[in-house]
């Protein structure tokens, strides 16, 4: 595979899976001590990656789950952020400015902070009550963060008796690193073709629904915009028909990400509409990828993880095709802002 270290990928994703038991132990301890809610408080891309786990709790658990912007919450505070809160702060670097500031706010409120970081010797690695360290880099962090946050959500549901087949789901998730590697291998020949679509326009409408939507948002903002300087319009599939559809015409690129959760029909609606008005609809569908031994229920849970692992292959070809390394920045961490 182009510019890819298979063993590094397996090591990082297996590292995320290996955190499951300790995550479960810490979450259960918090609940037994009277925790009343959970906040997922990442910044930028890391925040987006927390959305599937937060939404899983919001829709399938009665345990209050909040997701907010640390930069705003630092200013406004929240009546729900108390000593009975579990606060999850993901940051690959462990130094994200807004998240570090929010850490102090959470500690002041007496909340229990779980930091998910790639480096322990950092403000977030050292400052949280419980630090979960799994080294990763930009091209491998999505799957790792998705898995860790999913484990947290599932643990809350298990302890509350809101999920009966936790052990089955956990067992299937532990097989995921190797399966994701096979997905990458099988998609390599197609990745360059998809990259050509992205390189062929300076503007894309990027859409998805359910737990595929956060990955659509993330890829548009953090990869195409930040790392490739390609303009995008990320829009949720349920909002696509409330404004964005008027921008669709011949020659306009629409990129649709499809997952396998209950909200897939919202993506189907876009897929049925767009070809009537543009000749540039491109679909990336997790249902096209084999995951032997993974149940349909778990396939629905891991759709954003599968999308992330395939998109990494697309990005690897895109940066070469455009002669624009994914590490190139003009402003991010280069100028004051």
């Amino acid at each position: 595979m182009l510019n890819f270290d298979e063993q590094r990928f397996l090591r990082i994703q297996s590292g995320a899976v290996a955190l499951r038991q300790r995550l479960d132990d810490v979450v259960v301890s918090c609940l037994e001590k009277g925790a009343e809610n959970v906040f997922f408080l990442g910044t930028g891309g890391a925040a987006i990656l927390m959305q599937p786990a937060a939404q899983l709790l919001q829709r399938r658990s009665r345990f209050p789950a909040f997701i907010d912007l640390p930069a705003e919450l630092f200013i406004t505070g929240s009546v729900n952020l108390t000593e009975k809160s579990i606060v999850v702060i993901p940051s690959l670097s462990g130094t994200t400015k807004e998240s570090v500031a929010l850490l102090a706010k959470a500690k002041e409120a007496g909340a229990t902070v779980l930091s998910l970081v790639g480096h322990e010797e950092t403000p977030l690695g050292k400052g949280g009550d419980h630090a979960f360290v799994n080294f990763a880099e930009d091209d491998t962090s999505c799957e790792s963060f998705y898995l860790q946050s999913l484990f947290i959500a599932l643990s809350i549901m298990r302890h509350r008796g809101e999920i009966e087949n936790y052990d089955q789901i956990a067992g299937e998730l532990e097989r995921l690193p190797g399966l994701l590697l096979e997905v990458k291998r099988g998609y390599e020949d197609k990745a360059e073709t998809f990259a050509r679509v992205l390189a062929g326009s300076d503007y894309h409408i990027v859409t998805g629904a359910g737990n595929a939507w956060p990955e659509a948002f993330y890829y548009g903002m953090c990869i195409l915009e930040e790392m490739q300087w390609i303009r995008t319009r990320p829009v949720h599939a349920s909002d696509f028909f409330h404004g964005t559809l008027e921008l669709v015409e011949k020659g306009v690129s629409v990129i649709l990400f499809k997952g396998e959760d209950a909200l897939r029909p919202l993506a189907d609606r876009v897929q049925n509409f767009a070809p009537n008005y543009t000749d540039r609809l491109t679909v990336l569908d997790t249902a096209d990828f084999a995951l032997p031994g993974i149940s349909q229920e778990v396939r629905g849970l891991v759709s954003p993880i599968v999308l992330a692992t395939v998109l990494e292959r697309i990005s690897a070809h895109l940066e070469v095709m455009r002669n624009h390394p994914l590490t190139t920045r003009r402003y991010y961490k280069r100028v004051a802002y």
Side-chain angles (χ1 to χ4, degrees):
M1 287 185 278
L2 178 66
N3 296 335
F4 186 72
D5 184 334
E6 294 189 2
Q7 291 308 307
R8 180 178 68 111
F9 176 79
L10 283 175
R11 185 169 60 252
I12 290 167
Q13 306 317 327
S14 296
V17 168
L19 292 173
R20 180 186 67 81
Q21 188 58 60
R22 184 168 161 246
L23 283 164
D24 184 59
D25 291 343
V26 169
V27 167
V28 169
S29 175
C30 290
L31 295 174
E32 290 178 343
K33 291 177 182 177
E36 295 180 347
N37 59 45
V38 60
F39 279 79
F40 293 91
L41 297 175
T43 299
I48 297 170
L49 301 176
M50 298 294 104
Q51 289 184 16
Q55 291 174 358
L56 178 64
L57 288 170
Q58 289 167 348
R59 290 166 179 165
R60 292 183 52 184
S61 173
R62 291 187 179 276
F63 191 74
F66 301 93
I67 190 162
D68 209 329
L69 299 171
E72 290 195 357
L73 196 59
F74 178 78
I75 295 172
T76 65
S78 169
V79 296
N80 294 300
L81 181 60
T82 72
E83 72 280 1
K84 293 185 178 296
S85 297
I86 302 170
V87 173
V88 180
I89 304 180
S91 170
L92 185 59
S93 69
T95 61
T96 310
K97 180 179 178 181
E98 296 91 335
S99 295
V100 172
L102 195 281
L103 170 66
K105 193 90 166 181
K107 299 286 281 186
E108 182 182 327
T112 300
V113 178
L114 282 60
S115 58
L116 314 181
V117 296
H119 306 276
E120 185 173 10
E121 298 298 322
T122 59
L124 288 170
K126 288 295 188 182
D129 295 291
H130 305 277
F132 295 86
V133 184
N134 187 43
F135 171 79
E137 293 177 302
D138 285 340
D139 62 336
T140 53
S141 63
C142 287
E143 297 96 330
S144 176
F145 279 142
Y146 276 136
L147 280 166
Q148 291 177 65
S149 58
L150 180 57
F151 287 141
I152 291 170
L154 291 171
S155 180
I156 290 171
M157 294 171 68
R158 178 186 73 83
H159 183 71
R160 291 173 51 82
E162 295 171 328
I163 186 168
E164 296 180 354
N165 58 338
Y166 173 87
D167 290 337
Q168 172 213 322
I169 293 173
E172 292 184 30
L173 291 175
E174 287 179 357
R175 300 179 55 197
L176 206 56
L179 294 174
L180 292 175
L181 180 57
E182 290 304 315
V183 166
K184 286 179 181 290
R185 287 172 174 164
Y187 190 72
E188 184 70 10
D189 290 344
K190 298 179 181 178
E192 183 177 1
T193 300
F194 200 112
R196 290 196 181 283
V197 172
L198 297 176
S201 176
D202 60 1
Y203 170 75
H204 302 276
I205 296 171
V206 185
T207 188
N211 62 11
W213 157 243
E215 185 59 24
F217 184 19
Y218 176 93
Y219 195 73
M221 183 178 80
C222 296
I223 308 300
L224 296 183
E225 292 184 343
E226 177 186 321
M227 299 184 183
Q228 287 294 292
W229 308 346
I230 295 174
R231 292 173 176 83
T232 69
R233 168 62 165 102
V235 59
H236 194 289
S238 65
D239 288 330
F240 184 91
F241 296 96
H242 298 275
T244 306
L245 82 167
E246 288 296 334
L247 299 178
V248 178
E249 59 184 355
K250 187 175 180 180
V252 172
S253 173
V254 178
I255 308 294
L256 173 63
F257 294 163
K258 297 184 71 174
E260 297 171 71
D261 65 4
L263 296 168
R264 183 179 174 91
L266 296 177
D268 290 337
R269 188 182 179 200
V270 174
Q271 188 170 7
N272 292 333
F273 169 86
N276 297 309
Y277 303 99
T278 181
D279 53 348
R280 301 194 64 185
L281 170 68
T282 310
V283 180
L284 187 59
D285 188 348
T286 64
D288 293 337
F289 302 102
L291 295 172
I294 303 299
S295 63
Q296 191 56 51
E297 177 186 9
V298 175
R299 287 188 67 104
L301 291 174
V302 303
S303 291
I305 303 175
V306 175
L307 286 170
T309 218
V310 171
L311 286 163
E312 181 277 325
R313 288 291 75 216
I314 293 169
S315 298
H317 286 271
L318 183 62
E319 67 172 344
V320 172
M321 192 176 295
R322 300 185 73 241
N323 192 28
H324 186 126
L326 295 169
T327 54
T328 300
R329 304 288 190 278
R330 287 183 291 192
Y331 314 119
Y332 183 66
K333 293 186 178 180
R334 291 183 177 275
V335 301
Y337 51 82

